[in-house]
Amino acid sequence: MRKHISLILKLFVIVSLVFAITACSSEPQGSAPSEPDSEPGGKTEPVQMPVEKEEGKQKLLALGAVDPSKGLVPGFRITATLDDGQSVQAVEIGGTDGIYWVGISEDSQTGSIDTYHFFKERNNKTYTDQFYSWFCLEDSTLVSQVFGEIADNLLFSAYSDAIRNNLTFVEKTTIDGRACSLYSASINSQTIKFWVDDTYGITLKMEYEGVSSIVYTVVLSLEGVAGFPSLYEMWHNSVGYYIESEYFLSEFVGTWSAPYAFDNGTLTISAGGSATMTINSTDHAGSVMITDNMIVFTSTDGVAFFSGLLAIVPEDPEMFEVKNASYKNGNFSSDNATLHFAVKKN
């Protein structure tokens, strides 16, 4: 955590001392950016940008949203790298089919992205990966998580107060086929040029005049994701039982064959929540509770117990699984198991 804080501080210092960043963008509908306006009394307003930062962020998130008509949507993936001549830092953001990620560099020598965190929005709540499960981030938003301080300072550097208040619009241009707005900023006798993407506001190119030791690069994939980060598929596939599951006890009334953890016995559930686990021809009466995506069975005599995240197997509705389960069978207990229950055939 200390390293991440130091990176953020470094970025703020670089920005305030004339920090070099590279940016590019696509031109929106409407009027072109203009020179700063001066109000009566000599106050100068910040220069008009091609798109406001928060709007640009929302447009990027839309690229990675779920589209039921297409299944996996193309998505986006952006990597920004800052090399100050002494160390290299990088951040990656991306998203497809409603799963978003942020990758950071732990290696200050190579700047390679090696640590990822994943995010998902569901019912106006934001979730992140934590301890093999999706964890709800109370009082947080998807945009604040995907565009945290590191991504914000790298990708939207021209929008920081230290820079924007000194920007002058130069011209409309293009970089790699993308429409951009070129700006110039002079701070402490140092001139920096920023190319800002007209559609998303991303800083895609920067020239720090007279200084070659600081290099900023950005790689964009805005019309399709060529590859996914490590563990993307796992987190994408786990949404069904970690977030979207809202099961009811009535769906599980009946007799199920229990897994090996319970000596291949049976579990019988009644409509009122009473349940019996039969192990080696011995009945252990108890109860089952289902709350959102969590299922818990406890036998009255304390012999049998299990709890975990509930999942219906899409390919076989006659089966359910208990993920990340803790269980007990007599004197034996275990954690982080997956328990498979199937409807017993008479």
Side-chain angles (χ1 to χ4, degrees), residues 278-290:
T278 301
I279 305 173
N280 295 326
S281 301
T282 301
D283 294 338
H284 303 276
S287 62
V288 165
M289 291 192 304
I290 295 176

Side-chain angles (χ1 to χ4, degrees), residues 2 10 27 38 45 63 72 84 90 95 131 136 150 169 178 221 234 248 251 259 262 272 274 318 321:
R2 180 174 298 174
K10 178 198 286 186
E27 185 170 349
S38 294
E45 290 295 306
L63 293 178
L72 283 175
D84 65 1
F131 302 115
C136 182
I150 299 175
F169 173 70
R178 294 195 61 81
S221 296
M234 184 194 81
F248 300 96
E251 300 176 58
F262 296 100
S274 297
E318 298 284 282
E321 297 177 338

Side-chain angles (χ1 to χ4, degrees), residues 71-141:
L72 283 175
V73 298
F76 73 99
R77 196 169 186 177
I78 304 172
T79 301
T81 304
L82 176 68
D83 185 344
D84 65 1
Q86 297 180 336
S87 63
V88 182
Q89 302 294 343
V91 64
E92 176 187 316
I93 63 171
T96 185
D97 206 39
I99 305 293
Y100 300 85
W101 62 85
V102 175
I104 59 174
S105 170
E106 297 286 355
D107 188 338
S108 62
Q109 297 304 308
T110 66
S112 59
I113 303 295
D114 45 26
T115 301
Y116 285 95
H117 288 289
F118 297 86
F119 302 92
K120 169 75 175 177
E121 190 175 61
R122 172 75 174 176
N123 295 329
N124 297 319
K125 294 182 179 180
T126 302
Y127 295 80
T128 189
D129 59 303
Q130 183 171 340
F131 302 115
Y132 307 102
S133 180
W134 285 100
F135 176 77
C136 182
L137 297 168
E138 300 292 344
D139 302 321
S140 186
T141 63

Side-chain angles (χ1 to χ4, degrees), residues 55 57 75 107 111 125 177 206:
E55 181 184 353
K57 291 177 180 179
D107 188 338
K125 294 182 179 180
M206 179 280 302

Side-chain angles (χ1 to χ4, degrees), residues 214-247:
I214 298 178
V215 179
Y216 172 86
T217 57
V218 65
V219 178
L220 290 182
S221 296
L222 299 177
E223 298 178 356
V225 179
F228 299 113
S230 174
L231 300 181
Y232 168 84
E233 293 289 354
M234 184 194 81
W235 289 109
H236 180 272
N237 294 338
S238 70
V239 169
Y241 48 86
Y242 286 124
I243 298 178
E244 298 179 357
S245 305
E246 293 182 358
Y247 302 120

Side-chain angles (χ1 to χ4, degrees), residues 140-155:
S140 186
T141 63
L142 181 63
V143 69
S144 69
Q145 293 299 319
V146 175
F147 300 97
E149 288 179 292
I150 299 175
D152 200 68
N153 280 282
L154 279 174
L155 290 171

Side-chain angles (χ1 to χ4, degrees), residues 267-270 272-277 284-288 297-300:
L267 174 65
T268 301
I269 302 173
S270 70
S274 297
T276 300
M277 180 75 78
H284 303 276
S287 62
V288 165
F297 167 79
T298 305
S299 67
T300 304

